CSV table of all heavy atoms in Angstrom, one decimal:
chain,number,residue,atom,x,y,z
U,63,TRP,N,-12.9,-22.4,-9.6
U,63,TRP,CA,-12.7,-21.1,-8.9
U,63,TRP,C,-12.7,-19.9,-9.9
U,63,TRP,O,-13.4,-18.9,-9.8
U,63,TRP,CB,-11.5,-21.1,-8.1
U,63,TRP,CG,-11.2,-19.8,-7.5
U,63,TRP,CD1,-10.2,-18.9,-7.8
U,63,TRP,CD2,-11.8,-19.2,-6.3
U,63,TRP,NE1,-10.2,-17.8,-7.0
U,63,TRP,CE2,-11.2,-17.9,-6.1
U,63,TRP,CE3,-12.9,-19.6,-5.5
U,63,TRP,CZ2,-11.7,-17.1,-5.0
U,63,TRP,CZ3,-13.3,-18.7,-4.5
U,63,TRP,CH2,-12.7,-17.5,-4.3
U,64,SER,N,-11.9,-20.0,-11.0
U,64,SER,CA,-11.8,-18.9,-11.9
U,64,SER,C,-13.0,-18.7,-12.8
U,64,SER,O,-13.2,-17.6,-13.3
U,64,SER,CB,-10.6,-19.1,-12.8
U,64,SER,OG,-10.8,-20.1,-13.7
U,65,ARG,N,-13.9,-19.7,-12.9
U,65,ARG,CA,-15.1,-19.5,-13.7
U,65,ARG,C,-16.4,-19.3,-12.9
U,65,ARG,O,-17.4,-18.8,-13.5
U,65,ARG,CB,-15.3,-20.8,-14.6
U,65,ARG,CG,-14.3,-20.9,-15.7
U,65,ARG,CD,-14.3,-22.2,-16.4
U,65,ARG,NE,-13.8,-23.3,-15.6
U,65,ARG,CZ,-12.5,-23.6,-15.5
U,65,ARG,NH1,-11.6,-22.9,-16.2
U,65,ARG,NH2,-12.1,-24.6,-14.7
U,66,ASP,N,-16.4,-19.6,-11.6
U,66,ASP,CA,-17.6,-19.4,-10.9
U,66,ASP,C,-17.7,-18.1,-10.2
U,66,ASP,O,-17.3,-17.9,-9.0
U,66,ASP,CB,-17.7,-20.6,-9.8
U,66,ASP,CG,-19.1,-20.7,-9.2
U,66,ASP,OD1,-19.8,-19.7,-9.3
U,66,ASP,OD2,-19.4,-21.8,-8.7
U,67,HIS,N,-18.1,-17.0,-10.9
U,67,HIS,CA,-18.1,-15.7,-10.4
U,67,HIS,C,-19.0,-15.5,-9.2
U,67,HIS,O,-18.6,-14.8,-8.2
U,67,HIS,CB,-18.6,-14.7,-11.5
U,67,HIS,CG,-17.9,-14.9,-12.8
U,67,HIS,ND1,-16.5,-15.1,-12.9
U,67,HIS,CD2,-18.4,-14.9,-14.1
U,67,HIS,CE1,-16.2,-15.2,-14.2
U,67,HIS,NE2,-17.3,-15.1,-14.9
U,68,ALA,N,-20.1,-16.1,-9.2
U,68,ALA,CA,-21.0,-16.0,-8.0
U,68,ALA,C,-20.4,-16.6,-6.7
U,68,ALA,O,-20.6,-16.0,-5.6
U,68,ALA,CB,-22.4,-16.6,-8.3
U,69,PHE,N,-19.8,-17.7,-6.9
U,69,PHE,CA,-19.2,-18.4,-5.7
U,69,PHE,C,-18.1,-17.5,-5.1
U,69,PHE,O,-17.9,-17.3,-3.9
U,69,PHE,CB,-18.6,-19.8,-6.1
U,69,PHE,CG,-17.9,-20.5,-5.0
U,69,PHE,CD1,-18.6,-20.7,-3.8
U,69,PHE,CD2,-16.6,-21.0,-5.2
U,69,PHE,CE1,-17.9,-21.4,-2.8
U,69,PHE,CE2,-16.0,-21.6,-4.2
U,69,PHE,CZ,-16.6,-21.9,-3.0
U,70,ARG,N,-17.3,-16.9,-6.0
U,70,ARG,CA,-16.2,-16.1,-5.5
U,70,ARG,C,-16.7,-14.9,-4.8
U,70,ARG,O,-16.2,-14.5,-3.7
U,70,ARG,CB,-15.3,-15.6,-6.7
U,70,ARG,CG,-14.6,-16.7,-7.4
U,70,ARG,CD,-13.4,-16.2,-8.2
U,70,ARG,NE,-13.7,-15.1,-9.1
U,70,ARG,CZ,-14.2,-15.2,-10.3
U,70,ARG,NH1,-14.4,-16.5,-10.8
U,70,ARG,NH2,-14.4,-14.2,-11.1
U,71,ALA,N,-17.8,-14.3,-5.3
U,71,ALA,CA,-18.4,-13.1,-4.7
U,71,ALA,C,-18.9,-13.5,-3.3
U,71,ALA,O,-18.7,-12.8,-2.3
U,71,ALA,CB,-19.5,-12.6,-5.5
U,72,ARG,N,-19.5,-14.7,-3.2
U,72,ARG,CA,-20.0,-15.2,-1.9
U,72,ARG,C,-18.9,-15.4,-0.9
U,72,ARG,O,-19.0,-15.0,0.2
U,72,ARG,CB,-20.8,-16.5,-2.1
U,72,ARG,CG,-21.5,-17.0,-0.9
U,72,ARG,CD,-22.5,-18.1,-1.1
U,72,ARG,NE,-21.8,-19.4,-1.3
U,72,ARG,CZ,-21.3,-20.1,-0.4
U,72,ARG,NH1,-21.2,-19.7,0.8
U,72,ARG,NH2,-20.7,-21.3,-0.7
U,73,CYS,N,-17.8,-16.0,-1.3
U,73,CYS,CA,-16.7,-16.2,-0.4
U,73,CYS,C,-16.1,-14.9,0.1
U,73,CYS,O,-15.7,-14.8,1.2
U,73,CYS,CB,-15.6,-17.0,-1.1
U,73,CYS,SG,-16.0,-18.8,-1.4
U,74,LEU,N,-16.0,-13.9,-0.8
U,74,LEU,CA,-15.4,-12.6,-0.4
U,74,LEU,C,-16.3,-11.9,0.6
U,74,LEU,O,-15.8,-11.3,1.5
U,74,LEU,CB,-15.1,-11.7,-1.7
U,74,LEU,CG,-13.9,-12.1,-2.5
U,74,LEU,CD1,-13.9,-11.4,-3.8
U,74,LEU,CD2,-12.6,-11.7,-1.7
U,75,ARG,N,-17.6,-12.0,0.4
U,75,ARG,CA,-18.5,-11.3,1.3
U,75,ARG,C,-18.5,-12.1,2.7
U,75,ARG,O,-18.6,-11.4,3.7
U,75,ARG,CB,-19.9,-11.3,0.7
U,75,ARG,CG,-20.1,-10.4,-0.4
U,75,ARG,CD,-21.5,-10.2,-0.9
U,75,ARG,NE,-21.5,-9.4,-2.1
U,75,ARG,CZ,-21.9,-9.9,-3.3
U,75,ARG,NH1,-22.4,-11.2,-3.4
U,75,ARG,NH2,-21.8,-9.2,-4.4
U,76,GLN,N,-18.4,-13.4,2.6
U,76,GLN,CA,-18.3,-14.2,3.8
U,76,GLN,C,-17.0,-13.8,4.6
U,76,GLN,O,-17.1,-13.6,5.8
U,76,GLN,CB,-18.2,-15.7,3.3
U,76,GLN,CG,-18.4,-16.7,4.4
U,76,GLN,CD,-18.2,-18.1,3.8
U,76,GLN,OE1,-17.4,-18.3,2.9
U,76,GLN,NE2,-19.0,-19.0,4.3
U,77,LEU,N,-15.9,-13.6,3.9
U,77,LEU,CA,-14.7,-13.2,4.5
U,77,LEU,C,-14.8,-11.8,5.2
U,77,LEU,O,-14.4,-11.6,6.3
U,77,LEU,CB,-13.5,-13.3,3.5
U,77,LEU,CG,-12.2,-12.8,4.1
U,77,LEU,CD1,-11.7,-13.6,5.2
U,77,LEU,CD2,-11.1,-12.8,3.0
U,78,ARG,N,-15.4,-10.9,4.4
U,78,ARG,CA,-15.6,-9.5,4.9
U,78,ARG,C,-16.4,-9.6,6.2
U,78,ARG,O,-16.0,-9.0,7.2
U,78,ARG,CB,-16.3,-8.7,3.9
U,78,ARG,CG,-16.8,-7.3,4.4
U,78,ARG,CD,-17.9,-6.7,3.5
U,78,ARG,NE,-19.0,-7.6,3.5
U,78,ARG,CZ,-20.1,-7.5,2.7
U,78,ARG,NH1,-20.0,-6.5,1.7
U,78,ARG,NH2,-21.1,-8.3,2.7
U,79,ASP,N,-17.5,-10.3,6.2
U,79,ASP,CA,-18.4,-10.4,7.4
U,79,ASP,C,-17.7,-11.1,8.6
U,79,ASP,O,-17.8,-10.6,9.7
U,79,ASP,CB,-19.7,-11.1,7.0
U,79,ASP,CG,-20.5,-10.3,6.0
U,79,ASP,OD1,-20.1,-9.1,5.7
U,79,ASP,OD2,-21.4,-10.9,5.4
U,80,ALA,N,-16.9,-12.1,8.3
U,80,ALA,CA,-16.2,-12.8,9.4
U,80,ALA,C,-15.2,-11.9,10.0
U,80,ALA,O,-15.0,-11.9,11.2
U,80,ALA,CB,-15.6,-14.1,8.8
Side-chain angles (χ1 to χ4, degrees):
W63 175 254
S64 68
R65 285 173 290 276
D66 194 341
H67 310 318
F69 177 55
R70 297 200 305 275
R72 185 169 76 72
C73 288
L74 282 166
R75 291 189 189 112
Q76 194 184 32
L77 176 60
R78 173 199 60 193
D79 296 344

